[in-house]
Amino acid sequence: MTAKLTCGVHHVGLTVPDLEQARAFFCDVLGFEVVGGVPDYPAVFVSDGGVLLTLWRAADPMTARAFDRRANIGLHHLSLAVADDGALDEAWKKVSAHPEVIVDVAPGPIRPGSPTRHFLVFIPGGIRLELATPFA
């Protein structure tokens, strides 16, 4: 058997049209903390203690094209874990109340009959985000 060469996700880099808007969503809504950044790039690094996200501002947000998950190769969506059903429900209240969030899939089983629950939204800037309870 071949030994695994990796041991999890180091960080995920997301290109966003508005760096402050993305930072505010992750920090003010989901409780992430700013842990660094590169003002000249510009980029902000945020973390929930388990995952590190690098938020990069598009070079020219006015001409940047939105990612089409059905037509482009790359990130289909980012899925973040929550501890349990209570945490998913609390996250749903906060995330769905955000005025710039577009709901894609409301909370429910990840597939029919599954005890794993999730929801999917498009966050400010258009990135598709899923929050999900642990797999049973």
Side-chain angles (χ1 to χ4, degrees):
M1 179 182 281
T2 303
K4 293 178 181 82
L5 295 177
T6 63
C7 59
V9 175
H10 184 276
H11 73 278
V12 176
L14 301 172
T15 302
V16 298
D18 185 320
L19 195 55
E20 176 52 27
Q21 180 188 54
R23 187 222 47 83
F25 177 81
F26 282 101
C27 294
D28 299 346
V29 177
L30 295 179
F32 279 59
E33 294 182 16
V34 174
V35 296
V38 181
D40 293 339
Y41 193 75
V44 173
F45 310 143
V46 297
S47 179
D48 67 358
V51 66
L52 175 67
L53 300 179
T54 301
L55 306 172
W56 307 94
R57 193 194 74 213
D60 184 356
M62 298 305 293
T63 62
R65 285 184 275 149
F67 181 79
D68 180 344
R69 67 184 170 89
R70 296 181 186 263
N72 300 113
I73 302 300
L75 183 71
H76 184 268
H77 67 278
L78 172 63
S79 184
L80 299 175
V82 297
D84 53 31
D85 285 330
L88 185 77
D89 294 340
E90 180 66 22
W92 171 251
K93 286 179 197 172
K94 290 181 178 181
V95 170
S96 64
H98 192 285
E100 297 174 72
V101 163
I102 298 169
V103 174
D104 187 22
V105 176
I110 203 160
R111 63 184 168 280
S114 174
T116 301
R117 294 177 56 231
H118 74 144
F119 67 82
L120 288 130
V121 296
F122 290 94
I123 66 171
I127 293 170
R128 191 169 185 238
L129 176 68
E130 175 183 40
L131 276 75
T133 61
F135 285 110

